[in-house]
Amino acid sequence: MALPALALGWLLVASAPAVKYKASARVESVIRTPLLTETSASQVVTDLMIVPRLEGVLYTNLLEVKFSYEPQFLIRQSFMKPSLEILQSVYTRADYKIRRDFTLIGVHTTTFGAFPLENYAGVGTIGLPVTPVGATRTDSAYVYTETAAGFWTSLGIKRLSVAGTIGWVVNGLLEGPVRPLRRGSAAYPQQRYPELRLQAFYGATRRDYFTLSLYGRDVEFSTGNHNSLLQFAPGIQHQFTPLVDLSVEAGVAAGRVYHRSPDELPTHLAMPTLEATLKTPVPLGNHWPVQAKVRARYLPYMDPLTTKLIPRADVGLDLEWKGRREAKVLGKLRYAHPITGGVHRGDTELRAEAEALWPLPFSRYVYAQGKGVYTWTKHVVIGSQPAVQWYTSVGLVVRYDRGRL
């Protein structure tokens, strides 16, 4: 009896799919300025953030399933008037290989949280209350969910990759419809829309590649507004060296804005689009360990407050350094400005970010982490004066990997 049982147990273990998982936890102490939606007696506020995370991968010869779950516990104003904000994020992805050059893809992600609003009423006359004026609710639920299905194939052509997805997205507060309020007191409306993405990549030579992208969505806002957008952009990428490459995409975009009032005719938008990206190492001393990415874009932008569809240009610079044992230092700088003569002509956004992750000595699993974010925002809804915000955080990250490959 022992021998058949042992053989059966070996067969079950051998036929079971391989599994790999990673567990981590992060504790951060955050110092920041008050939010636009937050009243505070102090110009500097202290928060505490606790974030456990679990990731897993299950895979066979034909199927690979990825899963992650991350609850986030954020204690706002932890030393003044504490309020607990909880966000829960779930991500799943499944790749099933039909044949050697054709794979089906399924993706689902959800972020859900409840926000205590007793301390959130706007700052003077330039706030952005998340509930309409006069509302008596003391909490609110927010959700971002996306479900998509797609494919990847080479169509039997060497050096060709084609991938596409079609999905459904819901983003915003789970409340009744909110109406645009007077200037200086707007609310973020909820968005619901289907989204289409299609990309093709063909290697013409060892250094030259042709790309093609198609993007579209049809957005319904809880305010009654309705926007449609479709972008089409062919492009080319040239690799100067294994570490330096340049890509340029030039295309067209067409959009249509359906206004809430029935007596207003739809507004049309047609514009060229351009996106250029340069990736190159930055020489420091005798080595080039820092990778830089410079990007410039001119694309249509759907403003989340006014729901208007406007052309906007932005430039960005990303710097990344990676060392041993997953050590890294990141830096990002971004500037955006609408190219329009409407109400958004004076809007400006500047954002700078820095992050460092460093493994502690005498430990394989513990890392020190530091972050910093600075934003300078001028928006027609916020008011005539720009809003300046920043936050910094320091914390510890514990990671543990286990599984068989």
Side-chain angles (χ1 to χ4, degrees):
M1 293 297 294
L3 186 59
L6 182 61
L8 179 60
W10 177 86
L11 180 63
L12 292 175
V13 172
S15 61
V19 177
K20 179 178 175 61
Y21 67 86
K22 177 190 297 184
S24 64
R26 187 173 85 247
V27 179
E28 294 183 40
S29 176
V30 183
I31 299 177
R32 61 177 175 85
T33 55
L35 302 175
L36 292 177
T37 56
E38 186 176 15
T39 58
S40 173
S42 172
Q43 293 299 314
V44 178
V45 183
T46 302
D47 299 334
L48 181 65
M49 185 184 300
I50 304 173
V51 185
R53 181 181 178 89
L54 177 64
E55 302 177 44
V57 181
L58 179 149
Y59 53 96
T60 65
N61 292 334
L62 301 178
L63 177 66
E64 180 178 275
V65 179
K66 297 180 180 179
F67 170 83
S68 68
Y69 172 63
E70 181 182 282
Q72 180 183 102
F73 303 93
L74 179 59
I75 304 175
R76 293 198 181 277
Q77 302 187 31
S78 53
F79 295 105
M80 298 176 60
K81 188 178 180 182
S83 60
L84 179 63
E85 176 182 301
I86 302 175
L87 279 177
Q88 301 187 67
S89 298
V90 177
Y91 172 83
T92 57
R93 171 171 174 152
D95 292 36
Y96 183 72
K97 185 179 294 186
I98 300 294
R99 58 176 188 264
R100 183 177 181 182
D101 65 340
F102 189 82
T103 302
L104 294 179
I105 302 171
V107 179
H108 176 79
T109 179
T110 294
T111 298
F112 175 82
F115 303 85
L117 299 178
E118 64 271 12
N119 298 332
Y120 298 69
V123 182
T125 59
I126 62 170
L128 296 175
V130 292
T131 54
V133 172
T136 57
R137 297 190 58 164
T138 59
D139 64 345
S140 184
Y142 164 83
V143 67
Y144 174 87
T145 179
E146 178 179 355
T147 303
F151 68 93
W152 172 89
T153 182
S154 66
L155 298 176
I157 302 175
K158 190 177 180 180
R159 297 193 300 271
L160 175 67
S161 296
V162 181
T165 59
I166 179 71
W168 176 255
V169 180
V170 178
N171 181 22
L173 296 173
L174 292 179
E175 298 181 326
V178 291
R179 300 295 179 182
L181 306 178
R182 61 182 175 81
R183 178 176 177 177
S185 298
Y188 286 97
Q190 187 185 99
Q191 304 176 25
R192 296 173 177 263
Y193 55 94
E195 186 175 57
L196 170 67
R197 294 180 181 271
L198 181 65
Q199 290 185 318
F201 188 88
Y202 176 70
T205 67
R206 296 180 60 184
R207 292 191 175 186
D208 296 289
Y209 305 87
F210 294 107
T211 62
L212 184 67
S213 63
L214 179 67
Y215 173 76
R217 58 177 173 169
D218 187 61
V219 185
E220 293 278 358
F221 294 91
S222 58
T223 54
N225 299 66
H226 179 196
N227 294 350
S228 299
L229 176 65
L230 183 65
Q231 298 175 215
F232 173 79
I236 186 172
Q237 178 179 346
H238 178 72
Q239 192 173 43
F240 297 95
T241 70
L243 297 177
V244 180
D245 66 77
L246 172 68
S247 62
V248 178
E249 293 185 359
V252 294
R256 193 174 189 181
V257 178
Y258 301 86
H259 300 284
R260 189 175 70 257
S261 302
D263 56 338
E264 293 186 75
L265 295 177
T267 303
H268 299 272
L269 173 70
M271 57 175 286
T273 65
L274 179 64
E275 181 171 355
T277 304
L278 173 65
K279 297 180 181 179
T280 178
V282 179
L284 293 176
N286 297 324
H287 303 282
W288 292 11
V290 178
Q291 188 71 20
K293 182 173 74 172
V294 183
R295 185 176 66 179
R297 302 189 301 178
Y298 176 67
L299 296 172
Y301 174 70
M302 202 172 296
D303 191 274
L305 288 175
T306 62
T307 70
K308 291 184 177 295
L309 191 61
I310 56 176
R312 190 172 77 156
D314 67 72
V315 293
L317 171 64
D318 294 355
L319 299 174
E320 181 179 19
W321 174 87
K322 289 185 177 180
R324 293 181 298 177
R325 294 182 55 198
E326 300 186 35
K328 64 179 180 180
V329 179
L330 306 176
K332 297 181 180 181
L333 182 64
R334 179 173 173 268
Y335 174 82
H337 195 285
I339 310 298
T340 178
V343 297
H344 289 282
R345 62 185 180 276
D347 292 357
T348 305
E349 181 180 348
L350 175 65
R351 183 179 180 90
E353 300 180 40
E355 179 181 350
L357 183 69
W358 197 266
L360 295 182
F362 312 112
S363 175
R364 294 177 51 192
Y365 309 112
V366 183
Y367 299 78
Q369 185 178 56
K371 296 180 182 179
V373 177
Y374 172 87
T375 59
W376 188 95
T377 307
K378 186 177 181 182
H379 194 281
V380 62
V381 172
I382 296 178
S384 58
Q385 297 298 321
V388 179
Q389 294 179 278
W390 58 265
Y391 86 82
T392 59
S393 69
V394 293
L396 290 178
V397 179
V398 180
R399 294 179 177 177
Y400 181 71
D401 297 353
R402 186 67 182 256
R404 62 184 179 93
L405 298 175

